[in-house]
Amino acid sequence: MIIDVHTHINNYHEDRVVSLEECLNLLTETMQENKVDYSLVLSSYKVNEHRPSTKKVVEAISGRDNLGVVAGISYLNYTHRDLREISEFLDEGLIKGLKLYPGYEPFYPNDKRLQVVYDMAVEYDIPVMFHSGDTYSPTGRIKYSHPIHIDDVAVDFPDLKIVICHVGNPWIKDCMEVVYKNKNVYSDVSGLVLGNFSYKFERFMKNELEEMITYAGNPQYLLYGTDWPISNMHSYLNFMKQLELPEEKKELILWKNAADLFKIDVSKL
């Protein structure tokens, strides 16, 4: 069983408009080629012809039982209407989590404007995912996306389930400490490379993750994700095979932790 908690159907190249259906078909074909059983699709903090809204993503995956939606929220632009729409999707069981993008947008995760978002996540018992670490775009401001800032949120909202995306790369040790200290914090391993892992970087990142697990203990906090289509699924799965871990711990990372955290009914897969 494999669950990918971090994929997108955004058109990142933006040299031509690609239909939502085309993007979804490519995602499911790539999943099938790599024997990935389920993926979460994260919508963006902005909406345009290349980045579909949460509503469009929810509608598009209807009937695709191997896909779920995490709703992206714009710190700068969200309105009460956006939150009402998300709460309606949550009432209907159409959303598995929420995603915020510090670094791409200029805010710290402990900003008071976000309390209503965190309260909603606690009420519906869903996780909030945070972009963390480097930004794909050079216009991002990485002082906002340092994983150390997640600690404030974890302490202030102990019932909130939190996911630090990309293990805070390159601040993996800081992410390691926040995860170790706070039992309500998880992390995904997505977006560590653009495209394929090189041999050298694969060795480097293998050591980083193994060190994290040695420090933070049994990896019940670690989630498999790729950031597809930015990262290559096949290369990512090959990287996971390189980790020197017992099979039962790899299973925690590859699907068991995600199934529990995001309430994914694997009996239907």
Side-chain angles (χ1 to χ4, degrees), residues 75-94:
Y75 165 82
L76 291 176
N77 300 307
Y78 83 76
T79 67
H80 70 279
R81 293 182 183 86
D82 297 320
L83 298 184
R84 187 170 68 238
E85 180 181 76
I86 288 171
S87 69
E88 288 169 358
F89 288 145
L90 287 167
D91 282 332
E92 296 171 40
L94 299 174

Side-chain angles (χ1 to χ4, degrees), residues 237-252:
L237 286 168
N238 187 60
F239 165 65
M240 292 301 295
K241 288 176 186 174
Q242 310 307 314
L243 295 178
E244 293 178 24
L245 295 172
E247 283 305 310
E248 63 268 21
K249 292 192 176 181
K250 282 188 182 178
E251 282 206 339
L252 286 175

Side-chain angles (χ1 to χ4, degrees), residues 124-169:
Y124 286 94
D125 193 28
I126 58 165
V128 176
M129 305 177 76
F130 291 87
H131 171 79
S132 186
D134 185 35
T135 55
Y136 180 68
S137 167
T139 60
R141 299 174 187 271
I142 56 175
K143 69 178 181 179
Y144 297 107
S145 56
H146 196 295
I148 202 74
H149 302 307
I150 302 298
D151 183 58
D152 276 0
V153 183
V155 171
D156 291 343
F157 297 88
D159 296 323
L160 177 65
K161 295 171 180 175
I162 295 168
V163 179
I164 301 175
C165 298
H166 321 305
V167 286
N169 184 42

